[in-house]
Structure formats: C-alpha cells, structure tokens
Amino acid sequence: MDNLDGFEQQKQNIINEFNNITLKLSSQLNNNGLSVEENNLLQKRQRFLQGKLSLDMSVVKRRLLAIKEQAEDMEDRIELINGSENFFKDLARLEKEDRPSFALVAEDTANILMNALQRINYIETNRRFATVAVDIWEQWTEDYKIFKTKDKEELKNSAEQDGIDESIWQSWYADWQKLRFTIEEKIQPALARGLKGDIPTEKENEITVIEQLIRCLEMYKDDIDKFYLEERKGIYQKYAFAPSGDLQDKFETESELYKRTAKFQSDLQEIIFSCTKTADRMFILKWAENLLDIQIDEIIAFVADRDLQQISREVLQSFSALKQKNYDAYLNDAKAYSQEKANREKQYNSLMFKMRNELNKQK
C-alpha cells in the first residue's frame, strides 16, 4: 500500500488526465429503442474500455484492503483458538477449511499491484491511442443512437411519402439493423488489438493500423447507410409489380450490398499488405471475415428459408462452395490475393445472374 501511494504521487498527472478522459465511460447508456442484444453489445464495449483504461487507484486499494481484512480476521480467530479449551480440535477445524496457499495469496496480491502499475506505465507510453480509443467509442456509440432514431425516422418518412406499407420498410430496417450490428461488433476487437501495442508496417504512417481499419469500417458503414436511405426504396419500386418481384428485389439488393462489401475488402487489402508480420495480416482477415461473407450467407439462408424450387441445386452448391474459399493462402502475395478477390467477385456476380435468370425462366 505504501509503494502504491508513492507510485500514485509520481504518476499523479497521467492518472488525473485519464480519470477525466474516462469519465465519459462512466456515463449511463440510454437503452431506449435498443434490443437486449444491442444493449448488451454496447454495455460490454463500454465495460471493456473502463477496465482497460481506468487508472482509479481506489479500486486497487479496496482489493488489497479486502485481502488484508480477511487476513486480520483469521488472526483474530487464531487468537481465540489459542485461548480455547478445545485448542487442538478448533485449530484442526480451522486448518481443514478451504483456503489458498500463502504462496498463491502472495502472488495474487503482487499481481494486483503490478497490473495497476503496468497499466499506468502502458497508458503513459501509449497515451495517444488510449485517448483515441475513447474518442472512437464515443463517436460510434453516438452514431448508433442516430441510426436507431433519426435514420429510422428518415427511412420511414421516405417510404410513407410513396405509400409503401409499414411492414415493407420495417423489413428493410431489420435487414439494415442486422448488417449494422455486425459492423458494430468489430469495434471492440479492433480496440483490444490496438491497446496491446502498434502493428508494425513497412512504411511509417501518421495513424496506427487499427485506426486505419476503423476508418475503413466507418466508410463501409456510411456506404451501407447511404444505400438504405437513398437507394433501397428505388429497388423495391422497380420490382413491386413484376412477377417474382419480391425475389428479384432481394437479389438485386444483395448484389448492390455486395458491391459495397467488395469495396470495403479492397480498402482493407492495402492495409493488410502494409503489415510486416503474417500474424497481423491474419488478424485483420479474421477480424473482417464474416463481413466479407455476409451477402453470400444471406443469399444461402434466404433461398433455404423460402425453399425456392426455381433455383437449381447446382447454383446453390456453387454459392456454398464460394463461401468455403478463403484468402489465408494468399497473405504473402498481394498480387495473388488481389486476383483471388477479383475471381470471387466475378463468381458471385455470375451466380447472382444465373439465379435471377432462372427466376425469369419460371415466369
């Protein structure tokens, strides 16, 4: 405790600075309009950053004092036993109680202290990214609130102006929300990796790799938002009265979304191959993986759910095979990676054309 007090005095400036910065993380989330799943995601993200960035030494002191109080309680019990007529029996009973070894208690208390000191030293060394992490958290949390309120209202008003039923635009919003939620899930893993330290790159950059990833993710998110607010209605109106119009509407929507996903992957490619270590390249690819497959997954699930007999088994098997392809084997060759990505896009577009063509033949 004395050592902690002395260290706290030495690092008072950085502790005060980050206690002020992380005050934002102690604010109560307004969960109005959020589903249980969404609320859990946002709360988990907030608690994660609180745990990583809080420099409040009072928490550490409370933990150490709790251990000290339990040790003192045991000393008092031993003192009572020493004056007991049933000394041996009472002492044996105390000895048989479940408790950790002294070595484990000593190691754990040392770890509590060292973790606190190391966190201060880490944040002092990586002050810039730690501050950026809080800004990213705040920006994305506020933006998701806008998505749940203002953006939803804008979609609703746009649809109702053209007499589109509530059930229709609500289904659009549900699809949009599903995609936005998957995007939101990427923030915490990215920040967690960034807080472990910089990812080395071949050339120096003003911002870290993790900041670059989140910027790419933000551009992708903005593209998705723009599509639903400005283009989704037009696709519906194009097929509203056509034979198999609901299916054509779905397939064109997923094709348009895939264009945005392909652009996101192209943006990521430059970041991936700027990293010097294969492990970091694999981290980025794994981090983005389910977003890169999301339109393929959506089509496979949609066709299975509708049990569409018009779609041939061959086309469906080709879609499933497309999902099985991965890029891990190409992570050491940017040109080969780019070629494989282009081939995958070409195959996706070809399969979508075949699927829509088969629907037209069934009219």
Side-chain angles (χ1 to χ4, degrees), residues 265 285 289 293 321-330 337 340 344:
Q265 187 173 7
L285 194 58
E289 189 174 40
D293 287 338
L322 189 62
K323 177 175 168 55
Q324 300 308 314
K325 293 189 175 185
N326 60 66
Y327 298 93
D328 291 6
Y330 307 97
Y337 181 97
E340 181 63 16
R344 197 175 197 237

Side-chain angles (χ1 to χ4, degrees), residues 298-311:
E298 186 66 23
I299 289 296
I300 293 172
F302 178 80
V303 172
D305 186 55
R306 294 292 190 94
D307 193 22
L308 298 176
Q309 303 300 321
Q310 305 102 307
I311 308 300

Side-chain angles (χ1 to χ4, degrees), residues 202-341:
E202 293 177 356
K203 296 179 181 179
E204 287 190 13
N205 200 303
E206 291 183 0
I207 64 173
T208 64
V209 167
I210 296 302
E211 289 171 83
Q212 294 174 52
L213 289 181
I214 291 177
R215 284 189 182 182
C216 278
L217 189 67
E218 184 175 13
M219 289 189 292
Y220 178 55
K221 170 178 67 68
D222 291 344
D223 283 345
I224 296 299
D225 292 351
K226 186 176 180 181
F227 168 77
Y228 275 98
L229 290 173
E230 298 180 9
E231 300 178 42
R232 184 63 185 91
K233 182 174 71 172
I235 294 175
Y236 169 77
Q237 291 171 326
K238 180 178 177 181
Y239 296 107
F241 305 106
S244 300
D246 58 333
L247 304 183
Q248 294 287 5
D249 170 270
K250 177 65 174 177
F251 295 149
E252 181 160 335
T253 296
E254 294 305 322
S255 291
E256 287 297 320
L257 288 172
Y258 188 76
K259 292 177 184 177
R260 277 86 179 161
T261 301
K263 179 182 179 298
F264 171 58
Q265 187 173 7
S266 294
D267 293 340
L268 284 181
Q269 182 178 336
E270 186 176 342
I271 301 173
I272 288 172
F273 287 98
S274 73
C275 299
T276 57
K277 295 181 180 178
T278 301
D280 292 325
R281 295 177 182 183
M282 291 185 71
F283 163 78
I284 296 171
L285 194 58
K286 189 72 175 175
W287 173 77
E289 189 174 40
N290 65 335
L291 278 177
L292 304 183
D293 287 338
I294 199 164
Q295 276 78 48
I296 297 173
D297 291 337
E298 186 66 23
I299 289 296
I300 293 172
F302 178 80
V303 172
D305 186 55
R306 294 292 190 94
D307 193 22
L308 298 176
Q309 303 300 321
Q310 305 102 307
I311 308 300
S312 69
R313 183 177 296 275
E314 179 186 353
V315 172
L316 291 178
Q317 287 175 341
S318 297
F319 256 109
S320 296
L322 189 62
K323 177 175 168 55
Q324 300 308 314
K325 293 189 175 185
N326 60 66
Y327 298 93
D328 291 6
Y330 307 97
L331 283 176
N332 290 319
D333 189 335
K335 186 176 180 181
Y337 181 97
S338 183
Q339 184 60 52
E340 181 63 16
K341 183 173 70 67

Side-chain angles (χ1 to χ4, degrees), residues 125-181:
T125 305
N126 299 275
R127 180 181 306 200
R128 183 188 164 279
F129 184 81
T131 305
V132 165
V134 177
D135 292 339
I136 289 170
W137 166 83
E138 185 176 34
Q139 176 193 335
W140 278 75
T141 301
E142 289 303 313
D143 189 66
Y144 200 73
K145 292 177 184 177
I146 292 171
F147 164 70
K148 295 292 291 186
T149 52
K150 179 178 173 291
D151 289 349
K152 184 178 183 180
E153 192 68 19
E154 186 175 340
L155 183 70
K156 171 179 180 269
N157 293 338
S158 176
E160 290 181 347
Q161 284 174 4
D162 289 354
I164 296 172
D165 290 345
E166 180 179 356
S167 61
I168 300 296
W169 71 258
Q170 286 278 20
S171 71
W172 301 344
Y173 188 74
D175 291 340
W176 184 10
Q177 182 171 281
K178 181 180 176 183
L179 184 48
R180 277 295 301 267
F181 185 83

Side-chain angles (χ1 to χ4, degrees), residues 1-17:
M1 290 291 289
D2 291 341
N3 288 338
L4 184 59
D5 287 341
F7 190 82
E8 189 177 7
Q9 290 175 6
Q10 292 174 30
K11 303 294 183 178
Q12 197 63 53
N13 289 339
I14 188 71
I15 291 172
N16 289 342
E17 178 185 343

